[in-house]
Amino acid sequence: MGKTEDTLKATLEKAKAGNQMAYSTLVDTFWNDVYGFQLIRTKNENDAEDITIQTFSKAFDKIDSYDDSYEFKTWLITISKNIHVDLIRKRKRNVLESTESGNTDAITKVLDNSPSAEDRLITEQNLATLLLHIKQLKPHYQRVINLRYFNELSYADIAKELNEPINNVKVKLLRAKKLLAEVIKNRKT
């Protein structure tokens, strides 16, 4: 085994133990491979970036199931390919559903998109509840969500603000959204 192979194995072991630095190292090491693969497939930078972020998120969620008899890069590319296939299926289904409904919903939305007093009240209550849910996250997750969704900063600006690589910001934001979704789901049950 070569030195880089030994280093990768050690990094994977740390990632399996939940080490955030190991996650960052894996993202930095394999981001360009997965992103480049998706850019060729999708021919769209936004889709390629979204799929790449989802790939790392899914890989980190399922890192315990990784079989080291396969290359880690191959495992990531396979996850990435499956996410892309799911996206294509979902888009096809959405197109079919919208053509079957005759798009009358879209016309209605264009004609009446101003919120009523009740709508504004519901939105304010939902925002207050959402803020309470966000406060249950760890401070670094709260901060990244606030910077992205309340301050409306770009990934690059958030990376500059946090003094972290942009890939780390993307993964951290995705993990924060997943944790927030779990908090909200647990509150409803």
Side-chain angles (χ1 to χ4, degrees), residues 6-22:
D6 288 341
T7 306
L8 177 60
K9 246 186 180 164
T11 304
L12 285 168
E13 288 305 314
K14 288 178 185 174
K16 285 181 179 184
N19 182 307
Q20 291 294 320
M21 290 301 292

Side-chain angles (χ1 to χ4, degrees), residues 13-166:
E13 288 305 314
K14 288 178 185 174
K16 285 181 179 184
N19 182 307
Q20 291 294 320
M21 290 301 292
Y23 289 143
S24 297
T25 301
L26 292 171
V27 169
D28 291 342
T29 304
F30 295 102
W31 177 271
N32 289 338
D33 295 320
V34 177
Y35 178 78
F37 173 76
Q38 280 304 327
L39 192 57
I40 291 168
R41 286 177 65 102
T42 63
K43 295 174 180 46
N44 179 308
E45 290 180 7
N46 290 330
D47 284 348
E49 188 172 329
D50 288 346
I51 293 169
T52 303
I53 291 168
Q54 290 176 35
T55 299
F56 281 100
S57 176
K58 194 171 203 169
F60 294 156
D61 285 347
K62 307 277 185 197
I63 194 116
D64 289 331
S65 69
Y66 169 65
D67 179 358
D68 61 4
S69 62
Y70 300 101
E71 276 192 51
F72 187 70
K73 176 180 164 183
T74 305
W75 188 64
L76 285 174
I77 296 292
T78 303
I79 292 171
S80 174
K81 186 175 71 172
N82 291 338
I83 291 171
H84 182 235
V85 168
D86 290 345
L87 179 70
I88 290 170
R89 286 183 186 143
K90 185 177 179 183
R91 285 182 179 168
K92 282 183 182 176
R93 192 170 46 244
N94 288 343
V95 167
L96 289 174
E97 288 171 0
S98 69
T99 55
E100 288 171 5
S101 68
N103 281 342
T104 55
D105 297 335
I107 294 167
T108 307
K109 285 179 185 174
V110 169
L111 293 175
D112 186 25
N113 65 353
S114 59
S116 67
E118 294 85 6
D119 291 336
R120 284 192 295 274
L121 183 61
I122 290 169
T123 301
E124 287 173 17
Q125 288 175 341
N126 288 342
L127 182 59
T129 305
L130 179 63
L131 289 172
L132 287 174
H133 292 317
I134 291 171
K135 287 192 184 297
Q136 293 179 11
L137 299 176
K138 290 183 179 177
H140 60 276
Y141 289 134
Q142 287 180 30
R143 185 153 188 230
V144 76
I145 283 180
N146 284 328
L147 290 172
R148 180 70 176 158
Y149 296 106
F150 294 101
N151 296 348
E152 297 180 355
L153 295 182
S154 68
Y155 290 126
D157 291 339
I158 295 170
K160 212 177 290 179
E161 177 81 21
L162 298 178
N163 197 24
E164 289 186 22
I166 196 165

